[in-house]
Amino acid sequence: MVSHYKKLILQAMGNYFGQDAKRIGHACKVLQYAEEILAKGSGDEEVVAAAAILHDIGIHEAERKYNSNAGEYQEIEGPPIANRILKKLDFPREKIDEVLEIIAHHHRPGIVKTQNFEIIFKADCRVNREEKRRKKHD
Ligand SMILES: [Fe+2]
């Protein structure tokens, strides 16, 4: 039932970010790369999909509360929002903690030592690199 949750979480992320097409596009791209990496190795599809889609979900709250989108603030603000979204969608309870842990550390590799974390970290770095490159050429 991966696609079932994936679709619902994508919808919830889109609703949450609203007009912020940049963030929505970023999350979708990270999901795409994370799925590509996962297809070549091992990991939990549901955890990877949920974490990829929601990894930056705290960014609006970080900007609102601290006037900053710095990683440390996103990591504080993201997990409670992701928790609310996942619980509402009846995402498997036993996987929610892992998703939240990935979100809470997604800018700091080496703390969460799981395959699922590695996948999200790699996918996010790749998208960030591409976005930086594109900015330079704009
Ligand atoms: Fe990101």
Side-chain angles (χ1 to χ4, degrees):
M1 293 300 278
V2 171
S3 59
H4 164 76
Y5 286 118
K6 191 167 92 177
K7 206 170 122 195
L8 293 175
I9 300 167
L10 275 168
Q11 264 168 9
M13 180 274 292
N15 288 340
Y16 186 85
F17 279 145
Q19 302 295 311
D20 196 344
K22 193 179 140 202
R23 298 294 167 203
I24 295 171
H26 175 87
C28 291
K29 201 82 201 163
V30 172
L31 173 64
Q32 187 200 319
Y33 288 160
E35 286 180 331
E36 285 174 20
I37 300 167
L38 180 64
K40 288 184 229 148
S42 62
D44 184 284
E45 281 181 59
E46 288 178 332
V47 169
V48 166
I53 297 166
L54 298 175
H55 75 282
D56 280 338
I57 203 75
I59 200 160
H60 282 181
E61 272 303 281
E63 286 167 346
R64 195 179 67 82
K65 280 193 191 166
Y66 314 97
N67 209 12
S68 163
N69 61 13
E72 58 191 292
Y73 298 128
Q74 283 184 51
E75 289 183 348
I76 297 169
E77 297 302 323
I81 300 166
N83 190 28
R84 274 202 300 277
I85 290 173
L86 293 172
K87 273 190 179 156
K88 209 170 160 190
L89 299 178
D90 271 328
F91 189 77
R93 281 202 75 92
E94 69 278 11
K95 296 186 180 184
I96 290 182
D97 284 347
E98 188 182 350
V99 174
L100 302 186
E101 209 187 8
I102 294 172
I103 296 172
H105 299 91
H106 79 270
H107 290 115
R108 291 171 292 149
I111 298 170
V112 183
K113 293 177 177 132
T114 63
Q115 199 64 36
N116 296 329
F117 178 89
E118 279 304 311
I119 292 170
I120 301 302
F121 187 75
K122 271 189 200 156
D124 192 29
C125 287
R126 187 170 154 199
V127 177
N128 287 337
R129 265 200 312 276
E130 284 181 1
E131 287 174 353
K132 233 179 247 164
R133 215 175 298 141
R134 205 169 311 130
K135 232 185 199 170
K136 257 190 224 161
H137 295 294
D138 275 349

